[in-house]
Tab-separated table of all heavy atoms in Angstrom:
chain	number	residue	atom	x	y	z
A	10	GLY	N	-53.612	25.936	148.776
A	10	GLY	CA	-55.029	26.274	148.898
A	10	GLY	C	-55.908	25.151	148.363
A	10	GLY	O	-56.940	24.824	148.959
A	11	LEU	N	-55.485	24.544	147.243
A	11	LEU	CA	-56.240	23.415	146.695
A	11	LEU	C	-56.191	22.209	147.629
A	11	LEU	O	-57.184	21.493	147.780
A	11	LEU	CB	-55.687	23.044	145.319
A	11	LEU	CG	-55.934	24.061	144.211
A	11	LEU	CD1	-55.186	23.663	142.942
A	11	LEU	CD2	-57.412	24.199	143.946
A	12	VAL	N	-55.037	21.998	148.260
A	12	VAL	CA	-54.925	20.887	149.210
A	12	VAL	C	-55.892	21.090	150.370
A	12	VAL	O	-56.605	20.162	150.773
A	12	VAL	CB	-53.469	20.740	149.710
A	12	VAL	CG1	-53.395	19.819	150.917
A	12	VAL	CG2	-52.570	20.241	148.602
A	13	PHE	N	-55.938	22.305	150.916
A	13	PHE	CA	-56.853	22.580	152.027
A	13	PHE	C	-58.310	22.440	151.592
A	13	PHE	O	-59.141	21.934	152.345
A	13	PHE	CB	-56.595	23.968	152.618
A	13	PHE	CG	-55.296	24.061	153.347
A	13	PHE	CD1	-54.395	25.061	153.055
A	13	PHE	CD2	-54.959	23.141	154.336
A	13	PHE	CE1	-53.191	25.156	153.727
A	13	PHE	CE2	-53.763	23.212	155.021
A	13	PHE	CZ	-52.876	24.226	154.712
A	14	LEU	N	-58.627	22.861	150.382
A	14	LEU	CA	-59.985	22.716	149.868
A	14	LEU	C	-60.361	21.242	149.746
A	14	LEU	O	-61.453	20.831	150.154
A	14	LEU	CB	-60.116	23.423	148.519
A	14	LEU	CG	-61.468	23.322	147.835
A	14	LEU	CD1	-62.509	24.118	148.617
A	14	LEU	CD2	-61.371	23.826	146.409
A	15	LEU	N	-59.460	20.432	149.205
A	15	LEU	CA	-59.740	18.999	149.078
A	15	LEU	C	-59.816	18.310	150.435
A	15	LEU	O	-60.566	17.343	150.604
A	15	LEU	CB	-58.682	18.339	148.199
A	15	LEU	CG	-58.778	18.673	146.712
A	15	LEU	CD1	-57.591	18.126	145.955
A	15	LEU	CD2	-60.078	18.139	146.141
A	16	MET	N	-59.046	18.808	151.411
A	16	MET	CA	-59.154	18.249	152.758
A	16	MET	C	-60.543	18.505	153.334
A	16	MET	O	-61.131	17.623	153.956
A	16	MET	CB	-58.081	18.854	153.667
A	16	MET	CG	-56.698	18.316	153.420
A	16	MET	SD	-55.443	19.128	154.418
A	16	MET	CE	-55.991	18.751	156.068
A	17	LEU	N	-61.049	19.699	153.111
A	17	LEU	CA	-62.391	20.014	153.606
A	17	LEU	C	-63.457	19.195	152.901
A	17	LEU	O	-64.405	18.713	153.521
A	17	LEU	CB	-62.673	21.506	153.436
A	17	LEU	CG	-61.863	22.441	154.330
A	17	LEU	CD1	-62.132	23.896	153.964
A	17	LEU	CD2	-62.178	22.182	155.785
A	18	ILE	N	-63.299	19.011	151.588
A	18	ILE	CA	-64.279	18.230	150.816
A	18	ILE	C	-64.268	16.772	151.264
A	18	ILE	O	-65.321	16.143	151.391
A	18	ILE	CB	-63.983	18.351	149.305
A	18	ILE	CG1	-64.296	19.765	148.825
A	18	ILE	CG2	-64.772	17.318	148.507
A	18	ILE	CD1	-63.865	20.041	147.401
A	19	ASN	N	-63.086	16.218	151.528
A	19	ASN	CA	-62.985	14.814	151.914
A	19	ASN	C	-63.188	14.576	153.409
A	19	ASN	O	-63.083	13.442	153.873
A	19	ASN	CB	-61.631	14.242	151.489
A	19	ASN	CG	-61.533	14.097	149.993
A	19	ASN	OD1	-62.496	13.702	149.344
A	19	ASN	ND2	-60.390	14.417	149.445
A	20	GLY	N	-63.440	15.619	154.164
A	20	GLY	CA	-63.741	15.463	155.578
A	20	GLY	C	-62.542	15.224	156.477
A	20	GLY	O	-62.686	14.674	157.563
A	21	ILE	N	-61.363	15.612	156.032
A	21	ILE	CA	-60.171	15.481	156.868
A	21	ILE	C	-60.154	16.665	157.825
A	21	ILE	O	-60.170	17.820	157.396
A	21	ILE	CB	-58.897	15.443	156.011
A	21	ILE	CG1	-58.933	14.218	155.103
A	21	ILE	CG2	-57.652	15.430	156.897
A	21	ILE	CD1	-57.808	14.146	154.107
A	22	PRO	N	-60.142	16.402	159.129
A	22	PRO	CA	-60.253	17.505	160.091
A	22	PRO	C	-58.987	18.347	160.172
A	22	PRO	O	-57.879	17.840	160.029
A	22	PRO	CB	-60.513	16.790	161.417
A	22	PRO	CG	-59.910	15.446	161.239
A	22	PRO	CD	-60.063	15.111	159.776
A	23	LEU	N	-59.176	19.634	160.376
A	23	LEU	CA	-58.056	20.539	160.595
A	23	LEU	C	-57.856	20.705	162.094
A	23	LEU	O	-58.820	20.841	162.841
A	23	LEU	CB	-58.319	21.899	159.951
A	23	LEU	CG	-58.450	21.919	158.431
A	23	LEU	CD1	-58.814	23.317	157.959
A	23	LEU	CD2	-57.165	21.477	157.779
A	24	SER	N	-56.609	20.668	162.536
A	24	SER	CA	-56.320	20.827	163.959
A	24	SER	C	-55.166	21.812	164.121
A	24	SER	O	-54.639	22.346	163.156
A	24	SER	CB	-55.953	19.475	164.572
A	24	SER	OG	-54.735	19.015	164.026
A	25	LEU	N	-54.777	22.026	165.356
A	25	LEU	CA	-53.644	22.914	165.614
A	25	LEU	C	-52.330	22.312	165.132
A	25	LEU	O	-51.322	23.011	165.046
A	25	LEU	CB	-53.555	23.246	167.107
A	25	LEU	CG	-54.658	24.159	167.629
A	25	LEU	CD1	-54.499	24.367	169.120
A	25	LEU	CD2	-54.644	25.489	166.907
A	26	GLN	N	-52.344	21.039	164.818
A	26	GLN	CA	-51.165	20.366	164.264
A	26	GLN	C	-50.738	21.030	162.954
A	26	GLN	O	-49.577	20.962	162.568
A	26	GLN	CB	-51.517	18.894	164.031
A	26	GLN	CG	-50.409	18.046	163.522
A	26	GLN	CD	-49.382	17.764	164.591
A	26	GLN	OE1	-49.599	17.996	165.763
A	26	GLN	NE2	-48.242	17.271	164.173
A	27	ILE	N	-51.660	21.701	162.295
A	27	ILE	CA	-51.380	22.334	161.016
A	27	ILE	C	-50.368	23.472	161.154
A	27	ILE	O	-49.750	23.876	160.175
A	27	ILE	CB	-52.684	22.812	160.355
A	27	ILE	CG1	-52.526	22.873	158.862
A	27	ILE	CG2	-53.126	24.138	160.878
A	27	ILE	CD1	-53.818	22.895	158.122
A	28	LEU	N	-50.153	23.964	162.361
A	28	LEU	CA	-49.155	25.023	162.569
A	28	LEU	C	-47.737	24.521	162.309
A	28	LEU	O	-46.837	25.324	162.068
A	28	LEU	CB	-49.271	25.591	163.978
A	28	LEU	CG	-50.564	26.347	164.274
A	28	LEU	CD1	-50.598	26.786	165.728
A	28	LEU	CD2	-50.718	27.533	163.346
A	29	ASN	N	-47.533	23.213	162.357
A	29	ASN	CA	-46.234	22.644	162.000
A	29	ASN	C	-45.945	22.783	160.510
A	29	ASN	O	-44.837	22.524	160.051
A	29	ASN	CB	-46.163	21.170	162.393
A	29	ASN	CG	-46.073	20.998	163.874
A	29	ASN	OD1	-45.257	21.638	164.525
A	29	ASN	ND2	-46.921	20.143	164.412
A	30	PHE	N	-46.937	23.174	159.769
A	30	PHE	CA	-46.832	23.392	158.330
A	30	PHE	C	-45.909	24.580	158.023
A	30	PHE	O	-45.158	24.551	157.055
A	30	PHE	CB	-48.254	23.661	157.814
A	30	PHE	CG	-48.425	23.590	156.346
A	30	PHE	CD1	-48.490	22.377	155.709
A	30	PHE	CD2	-48.544	24.748	155.598
A	30	PHE	CE1	-48.670	22.309	154.353
A	30	PHE	CE2	-48.726	24.693	154.238
A	30	PHE	CZ	-48.787	23.461	153.619
A	31	ILE	N	-45.943	25.604	158.872
A	31	ILE	CA	-45.199	26.845	158.628
A	31	ILE	C	-43.687	26.630	158.623
A	31	ILE	O	-43.003	27.071	157.689
A	31	ILE	CB	-45.628	27.928	159.643
A	31	ILE	CG1	-47.105	28.258	159.442
A	31	ILE	CG2	-44.773	29.178	159.527
A	31	ILE	CD1	-47.725	29.072	160.554
A	32	PRO	N	-43.099	25.933	159.613
A	32	PRO	CA	-41.652	25.712	159.543
A	32	PRO	C	-41.231	24.884	158.331
A	32	PRO	O	-40.140	25.077	157.798
A	32	PRO	CB	-41.320	24.966	160.836
A	32	PRO	CG	-42.462	25.139	161.724
A	32	PRO	CD	-43.646	25.462	160.881
A	33	LEU	N	-42.105	23.980	157.889
A	33	LEU	CA	-41.767	23.178	156.712
A	33	LEU	C	-41.712	24.036	155.452
A	33	LEU	O	-40.843	23.839	154.604
A	33	LEU	CB	-42.776	22.050	156.528
A	33	LEU	CG	-42.687	20.915	157.525
A	33	LEU	CD1	-43.774	19.900	157.271
A	33	LEU	CD2	-41.335	20.263	157.478
A	34	VAL	N	-42.630	24.980	155.327
A	34	VAL	CA	-42.611	25.874	154.163
A	34	VAL	C	-41.353	26.746	154.199
A	34	VAL	O	-40.695	26.947	153.169
A	34	VAL	CB	-43.896	26.734	154.110
A	34	VAL	CG1	-43.797	27.800	153.044
A	34	VAL	CG2	-45.110	25.863	153.873
A	35	ILE	N	-40.989	27.228	155.378
A	35	ILE	CA	-39.774	28.038	155.515
A	35	ILE	C	-38.550	27.207	155.155
A	35	ILE	O	-37.648	27.671	154.447
A	35	ILE	CB	-39.682	28.616	156.941
A	35	ILE	CG1	-40.796	29.639	157.155
A	35	ILE	CG2	-38.316	29.234	157.195
A	35	ILE	CD1	-40.947	30.097	158.584
A	36	LEU	N	-38.503	25.956	155.621
A	36	LEU	CA	-37.385	25.068	155.291
A	36	LEU	C	-37.318	24.800	153.798
A	36	LEU	O	-36.233	24.802	153.200
A	36	LEU	CB	-37.517	23.762	156.064
A	36	LEU	CG	-36.455	22.705	155.778
A	36	LEU	CD1	-35.077	23.202	156.197
A	36	LEU	CD2	-36.799	21.413	156.477
A	37	LEU	N	-38.457	24.586	153.172
A	37	LEU	CA	-38.497	24.349	151.728
A	37	LEU	C	-37.953	25.552	150.958
A	37	LEU	O	-37.163	25.400	150.023
A	37	LEU	CB	-39.926	24.023	151.289
A	37	LEU	CG	-40.147	23.745	149.816
A	37	LEU	CD1	-39.379	22.509	149.384
A	37	LEU	CD2	-41.633	23.565	149.535
A	38	VAL	N	-38.351	26.750	151.353
A	38	VAL	CA	-37.860	27.960	150.690
A	38	VAL	C	-36.355	28.115	150.908
A	38	VAL	O	-35.614	28.454	149.979
A	38	VAL	CB	-38.633	29.198	151.196
A	38	VAL	CG1	-37.973	30.482	150.759
A	38	VAL	CG2	-40.076	29.150	150.725
A	39	LEU	N	-35.882	27.833	152.117
A	39	LEU	CA	-34.462	27.978	152.426
A	39	LEU	C	-33.608	26.986	151.645
A	39	LEU	O	-32.571	27.361	151.084
A	39	LEU	CB	-34.239	27.793	153.931
A	39	LEU	CG	-32.828	28.044	154.432
A	39	LEU	CD1	-32.470	29.519	154.269
A	39	LEU	CD2	-32.702	27.628	155.872
A	40	ILE	N	-34.029	25.738	151.571
A	40	ILE	CA	-33.277	24.739	150.814
A	40	ILE	C	-33.291	25.070	149.327
A	40	ILE	O	-32.268	24.987	148.653
A	40	ILE	CB	-33.846	23.325	151.071
A	40	ILE	CG1	-33.483	22.882	152.487
A	40	ILE	CG2	-33.321	22.324	150.059
A	40	ILE	CD1	-34.127	21.584	152.901
A	41	THR	N	-34.434	25.475	148.814
A	41	THR	CA	-34.526	25.848	147.399
A	41	THR	C	-33.635	27.040	147.094
A	41	THR	O	-32.919	27.053	146.087
A	41	THR	CB	-35.983	26.169	147.031
A	41	THR	OG1	-36.800	25.047	147.351
A	41	THR	CG2	-36.113	26.499	145.567
């Protein structure tokens, strides 16, 4: 949430590419 907030503050655009974020979180949980 802090990363997304800082992205908005710094003007980094959000796109549909952000949906690739979900499999990475699942992979991180699975490896952990």
Side-chain angles (χ1 to χ4, degrees):
L11 291 173
V12 167
F13 291 128
L14 178 69
L15 288 173
M16 285 176 61
L17 291 174
I18 290 172
N19 290 320
I21 298 174
L23 296 176
S24 66
L25 289 178
Q26 182 73 13
I27 206 161
L28 294 176
N29 288 311
F30 194 77
I31 297 167
L33 288 177
V34 171
I35 292 170
L36 177 64
L37 180 63
V38 168
L39 186 66
I40 288 173
T41 304

